[in-house]
Amino acid sequence: MKKPKVYINKIEKNINNNKENYYYRNNDYKKDFSPINIKEKINDIFSSDDFVYKSNVIIILKNGKEIKDELIAIKNNELILLNNDKINIDIIENIKKAI
């Protein structure tokens, strides 16, 4: 059986396709919070293009408790989660969309 003939093009340039890799671990998100206004972050979540009726979020409260849940609404200075829990905005230290 004959081997097929394959044309191999000569590579004359330096290829650097692995210089901008990022490794994500589950606990890296705590470093990714930026210090801006909480109400602005909440408004950004609700006004994003991918928000239809809920958004997966990570909420860190001022007492250090971390909540991962689906955010569906805001009413009377409270966030309403999918499981019908309400969180007052004043006790939130940080909020971010979950990946």
Side-chain angles (χ1 to χ4, degrees):
M1 183 172 179
K2 286 185 169 182
K3 289 186 178 181
K5 294 182 181 183
V6 178
Y7 176 75
I8 300 174
N9 195 8
K10 209 176 205 185
I11 300 174
E12 297 176 350
K13 61 181 178 177
N14 191 10
I15 299 174
N16 296 322
N17 60 356
N18 62 349
K19 284 192 173 185
E20 295 184 20
N21 287 343
Y22 178 72
Y23 176 73
Y24 178 79
R25 292 186 311 220
N26 287 338
N27 60 358
D28 282 347
Y29 66 86
K30 291 181 182 176
K31 299 175 189 173
D32 196 24
F33 286 115
S34 60
I36 65 167
N37 190 353
I38 297 299
K39 291 185 180 183
E40 287 178 24
K41 282 188 163 189
I42 293 169
N43 288 335
D44 289 344
I45 291 171
F46 283 115
S47 65
S48 67
D49 292 337
D50 59 346
F51 182 82
V52 178
Y53 68 95
K54 65 180 180 177
S55 182
N56 292 328
V57 293
I58 300 169
I59 301 170
I60 297 181
L61 303 178
K62 290 185 179 177
N63 63 2
K65 185 178 177 185
E66 179 181 304
I67 301 170
K68 295 179 185 176
D69 209 334
E70 295 174 329
L71 178 64
I72 57 171
I74 184 170
K75 183 177 180 181
N76 298 335
N77 204 33
E78 291 181 327
L79 296 178
I80 302 173
L81 304 177
L82 189 64
N83 60 4
N84 212 16
D85 286 345
K86 295 179 182 177
I87 300 174
N88 193 333
I89 293 176
D90 297 331
I91 65 168
I92 296 175
E93 182 178 327
N94 226 328
I95 186 169
K96 182 182 175 192
K97 290 177 79 169
I99 298 174

